């Protein structure tokens, strides 16, 4: 039970913003929301995480709904190197456990 | 140099053989994890360790064992390999604080004939 729901795939044009949605309607109050991405033939790479407030870093922004039942990963200007599988994951505060679902395959068109 | 190093990167072996996959880290993290990934799927947790004396089973531990030799080293063993253990294996580490991100190695591609 991955406990998060994401679209299987999305497409974007290069240099345009991308909004990757995730539903986590059964999230508990202490679960963090993590995003990772995986490029072909590589291990997952940490992108961003948050608990309640929106978060920004050099890679992306994370917008968390007020009820925490959904979140959106925002890539402000997609590049060809952003083509990857993006995983939205709930992480238990105590154990750091990650349960991966199928993720969203992002394709970026030149 | 990579912070999380897995060896070997690729391995082909035969059914029934014992195999050890090794993971070492220079991040100074207490927590280490082993995952497997099958084609087209997300990662599944095999074992995890919160410190040298703490080992826990994950979602799919049957057929696997682990050893935490030191804070920096966490090994995964397949005692008697079988073909359905053919997969991509990843090691990861994280800080002890709750909710912290995990840092992954580049994986070991294991094929069992």
């Amino acid at each position: 039970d991955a406990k998060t729901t994401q679209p299987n795939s999305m497409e974007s044009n290069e240099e345009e913003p991308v909004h990757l949605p995730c539903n986590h309607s059964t999230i508990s109050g202490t679960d963090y929301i993590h995003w990772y991405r995986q490029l072909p033939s590589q291990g997952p790479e940490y992108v961003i995480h948050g608990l309640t407030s929106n978060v920004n870093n050099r890679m992306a922004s994370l917008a968390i709904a007020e009820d925490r039942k959904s979140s959106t990963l925002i890539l402000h200007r997609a590049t060809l190197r952003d083509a990857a599988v993006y995983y939205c994951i709930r992480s238990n505060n105590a154990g750091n456990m990650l349960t991966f679902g199928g993720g969203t395959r992002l394709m970026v068109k030149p | 140099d990579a912070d999380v190093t897995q060896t070997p990167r690729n391995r082909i072996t035969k059914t029934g053989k014992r195999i050890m996959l090794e993971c070492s880290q220079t991040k100074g993290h207490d927590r280490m994890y082993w995952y497997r990934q099958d084609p087209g799927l997300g990662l599944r947790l095999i074992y995890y360790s919160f410190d040298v004396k703490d080992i826990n089973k994950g979602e799919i531990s049957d057929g696997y064992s682990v050893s935490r030799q030191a804070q920096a080293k966490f090994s995964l063993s397949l005692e008697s390999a079988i073909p359905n253990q053919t997969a991509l294996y990843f090691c990861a580490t994280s800080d002890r604080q709750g909710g912290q991100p995990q840092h992954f190695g580049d994986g070991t591609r294991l094929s069992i004939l």
Side-chain angles (χ1 to χ4, degrees):
Chain A
D1 179 12
K3 302 177 183 177
T4 64
T5 304
Q6 300 176 253
N8 289 334
S9 63
M10 292 183 63
E11 274 191 4
S12 172
N13 294 317
E14 196 176 12
E15 298 192 3
E16 290 186 356
V18 182
H19 291 233
L20 297 167
C22 181
N23 286 318
H24 28 79
S25 58
T26 60
I27 195 167
S28 72
T30 57
D31 284 352
Y32 284 79
I33 300 154
H34 285 238
W35 284 82
Y36 290 77
R37 70 180 186 182
Q38 187 174 22
L39 280 67
S41 301
Q42 294 187 23
E45 175 189 25
Y46 166 76
V47 177
I48 201 167
H49 79 289
L51 185 60
T52 55
S53 303
N54 294 344
V55 184
N56 301 294
N57 67 20
R58 64 175 179 80
M59 291 181 70
S61 295
L62 176 60
I64 301 172
E66 196 168 333
D67 63 5
R68 296 204 339 119
K69 293 183 177 182
S70 64
S71 61
T72 302
L73 178 70
I74 303 165
L75 307 179
H76 296 285
R77 287 183 66 199
T79 69
L80 296 179
R81 291 182 298 175
D82 290 324
V85 178
Y86 286 79
Y87 294 100
C88 166
I89 301 166
R90 290 165 49 178
S91 174
N92 179 278
N93 180 49
N96 288 14
M97 293 300 102
L98 300 182
T99 301
F100 285 76
T104 296
R105 181 173 298 280
L106 176 65
M107 293 166 278
V108 180
K109 297 183 290 183
Chain B
D1 286 342
D3 294 322
V4 182
T5 303
Q6 293 184 232
T7 56
R9 292 296 315 278
N10 293 282
R11 177 81 184 271
I12 301 173
T13 191
K14 295 181 179 179
T15 298
K17 295 290 188 181
R18 183 178 188 274
I19 302 157
M20 179 179 286
L21 308 183
E22 301 195 3
C23 177
S24 62
Q25 52 119 345
T26 59
K27 299 191 73 67
H29 287 162
D30 287 323
R31 299 181 173 188
M32 298 187 73
Y33 312 80
W34 274 105
Y35 294 87
R36 70 175 273 177
Q37 184 173 33
D38 294 285
L41 301 179
L43 282 68
R44 291 183 292 168
L45 183 64
I46 306 172
Y47 270 96
Y48 61 100
S49 169
F50 283 175
D51 64 38
V52 175
K53 296 180 181 179
D54 179 81
I55 303 289
N56 303 280
K57 293 182 177 181
E59 178 187 355
I60 52 163
S61 60
D62 287 349
Y64 301 94
S65 62
V66 291
S67 173
R68 185 81 184 267
Q69 301 95 324
Q71 186 204 38
K73 295 184 182 297
F74 192 36
S75 300
L76 175 72
S77 293
L78 287 68
E79 297 302 326
S80 179
I82 55 177
N84 73 4
Q85 292 177 311
T86 293
L88 196 51
Y89 290 84
F90 290 102
C91 173
T93 75
S94 72
D95 193 16
R96 66 174 62 187
Q97 288 182 297
Q100 292 304 300
Q102 293 186 15
H103 302 265
F104 288 81
D106 287 333
T108 295
R109 187 171 298 278
L110 179 62
S111 296
I112 300 164
L113 306 178

